[in-house]
Amino acid sequence: MKNFSYDNFELKEIQKLEGHTGKVLGIAWKVDTGVWGFLAVMASWSDDKTVRIWEENLSGFFVCKAVLDASSTVRSCAWSQEFYLLAAGCSDATTVIWKNVGDHAYERIYTLKGHENEVRSVSWDKDGILLATCGGDDKSIWIWEALPGDEFDCASVLQGHTEDVKIVQWDDRIALFSGSSDNTIKVWEETIYRGVDWPCIETLGDSDREHTSAVLSLSFSKERRRMVSCSDDLTIKIWNCERRSTELWSHICILSGYHDTTIFAVDWLRELLRAVPKEEDQDPEIFASAGADDAIRIFIEDKDNEVDGLPFKLLLKKEKAHETNINSVKWHSGDKRRLASASDDGTVKIWEFVCPWPAGRIDP
């Protein structure tokens, strides 16, 4: 582990983005932007029924380049790596698909229907071909396949959760993870097992390790070594992938006492792969959390100085990061190391994470 002082770290606000007329419910960085000299692009969405597309200018500041109108509150958005697509799950039970058809032009090309009520979360797989959506009270997960000609087909409908599904998230391989109000995280994989093409291959947590309330957010570390989840039970849990060939996740630790209100979001800092000499240690892993107390917290791995067996500790806490609830935090790891946050106060903030080592370098 590298030697460092906590004084070497800082979360510095560099810009506040305004324009939404309602609560900003989330943000998502566009895939493959902000790296290799390309300007960063980000989407934000709101209960004002719009999605705003923000693009970084040459001065490093973000400007709104497009406003996409949806028919209802936008609950979740995700960018595809293929076909230049942006998916938006909405409160009217639909998922809207926009296509980037020009520099700042977006065309609404498809509306996916099937859920009985609001679409809580959407997520593309690593190839940008399969889109997962989850419903509220219908407790289901739908897998959609993007086809040539801007067409979509429902590949499967997954049933298994006993309460509403709060979040879906693909990993970097072929597995889909879902978190629910039934307090569980389920892992699904496309494989034929006993006649089921998308079986649940694992349910994380047993009686003494599972969350005791709804699972609201989850995120994977670089190379998918670990996963972090947060819940309405005011805890953060760290999970470890024991075996790469099959899904086998174990519970590492629980971080409690850091939040005294609901934790809405967690996100792992995923650096680009870097050239690190064999004699050097890898940089410690870092993730952020945020919720109803208006603060952003950053946790860091510190195995050399574990307290009570916990390999992670609080690195810093940014008080009053927003005026009210923070609904989402998302790292952007590229040419610059930044964090975006979205809040009920109607704003998005861009933060610079000041760190003692440089932002991700590309492997030679």
Side-chain angles (χ1 to χ4, degrees):
M1 172 100 37
K2 294 178 181 293
N3 295 321
F4 60 83
S5 166
Y6 281 26
D7 294 335
N8 296 139
F9 297 87
E10 181 184 358
L11 195 61
K12 182 187 302 182
E13 181 181 339
I14 58 175
Q15 191 177 3
K16 180 167 71 173
L17 308 182
E18 298 177 301
H20 283 292
T21 58
K23 301 173 182 177
V24 185
L25 302 180
I27 62 270
W29 296 97
K30 189 175 183 180
V31 180
D32 293 335
T33 65
V35 293
W36 303 299
F38 292 98
L39 298 173
V41 177
M42 178 180 64
S44 63
W45 54 93
S46 168
D47 62 4
D48 66 7
K49 305 179 183 180
T50 70
V51 178
R52 286 181 169 260
I53 308 299
W54 308 86
E55 184 176 300
E56 181 184 18
N57 62 23
L58 294 176
S59 298
F61 292 99
F62 286 81
V63 178
C64 182
K65 292 295 187 177
V67 179
L68 313 182
D69 292 319
S71 55
S72 62
T73 294
V74 182
R75 304 292 301 179
S76 176
C77 285
W79 297 95
S80 168
Q81 287 190 326
E82 294 291 333
F83 305 126
Y84 308 101
L85 303 179
L86 175 67
C90 301
S91 63
D92 63 358
T94 67
T95 299
V96 179
I97 308 295
W98 281 283
K99 185 173 186 177
N100 187 189
V101 295
D103 287 343
H104 308 117
Y106 290 81
E107 178 184 344
R108 184 168 175 163
I109 63 168
Y110 215 94
T111 299
L112 306 177
K113 298 180 180 180
H115 287 288
E116 297 175 6
N117 44 46
E118 70 174 0
V119 179
R120 294 280 181 85
S121 178
V122 298
S123 178
W124 291 96
D125 75 341
K126 65 181 179 65
D127 295 322
I129 303 298
L130 297 179
L131 174 70
T133 65
C134 66
D137 295 338
D138 65 16
K139 308 170 189 174
S140 67
I141 300 165
W142 290 54
I143 307 294
W144 308 86
E145 183 179 2
L147 303 174
D150 296 336
E151 295 291 328
F152 285 81
D153 182 50
C154 178
S156 189
V157 177
L158 315 183
Q159 302 281 356
H161 285 291
T162 58
E163 299 292 341
D164 60 308
V165 187
K166 297 291 190 181
I167 185 170
V168 285
Q169 181 68 53
W170 295 92
D171 69 0
D172 291 338
R173 295 169 66 227
I174 56 173
L176 175 67
F177 290 66
S178 58
S180 167
S181 290
D182 64 13
N183 309 344
T184 68
I185 299 170
K186 290 184 178 293
V187 188
W188 314 79
E189 191 168 289
E190 185 179 18
T191 179
I192 301 298
Y193 177 73
R194 294 182 179 177
V196 179
D197 59 350
W198 278 90
C200 175
I201 61 173
E202 189 173 6
T203 299
L204 304 190
D206 50 32
S207 59
D208 63 338
R209 289 183 175 177
E210 67 184 7
H211 284 291
T212 58
S213 190
V215 179
L216 301 179
S217 181
L218 55 87
S219 177
F220 299 99
S221 71
K222 55 187 176 183
E223 300 178 354
R224 208 196 68 137
R225 291 176 52 239
R226 290 174 175 159
M227 178 175 66
V228 58
S229 61
C230 69
S231 167
D232 203 20
D233 64 10
L234 312 186
T235 68
I236 296 170
K237 290 182 181 289
I238 309 295
W239 310 82
N240 188 61
C241 185
E242 294 288 349
R243 195 164 60 233
R244 297 299 179 90
S245 59
T246 61
E247 297 298 327
L248 183 60
W249 290 80
S250 63
H251 178 268
I252 296 178
C253 69
I254 179 172
L255 301 175
S256 61
Y258 295 100
H259 289 265
D260 55 11
T261 57
T262 300
I263 311 167
F264 293 131
V266 287
D267 196 54
W268 217 296
L269 174 61
R270 296 167 60 87
E271 294 280 39
L272 296 172
L273 294 177
R274 306 185 313 155
V276 179
K278 292 182 179 180
E279 64 271 13
E280 290 189 18
D281 292 330
Q282 296 285 343
D283 296 337
E285 297 198 86
I286 290 172
F287 67 87
S289 67
D293 65 358
D294 318 339
I296 297 174
R297 292 168 176 80
I298 296 179
F299 294 84
I300 190 168
E301 181 184 29
D302 192 1
K303 293 185 292 186
D304 295 337
N305 298 288
E306 290 188 12
V307 177
D308 297 328
L310 296 179
F312 287 85
K313 61 178 58 179
L314 183 66
L315 174 64
L316 63 85
K317 177 182 178 182
K318 189 70 175 182
E319 299 275 8
K320 297 297 180 183
H322 283 270
E323 295 178 4
T324 184
N325 296 353
I326 300 175
N327 298 310
S328 179
V329 285
K330 290 292 182 182
W331 290 104
H332 182 271
S333 298
D335 297 340
K336 303 175 184 177
R337 188 182 284 116
R338 292 175 287 204
L339 180 72
S341 58
S343 170
D344 280 358
D345 65 13
T347 70
V348 173
K349 289 189 177 182
I350 309 296
W351 308 83
E352 179 188 357
F353 182 50
V354 180
C355 188
W357 50 87
R361 296 164 289 183
I362 309 301
D363 271 336

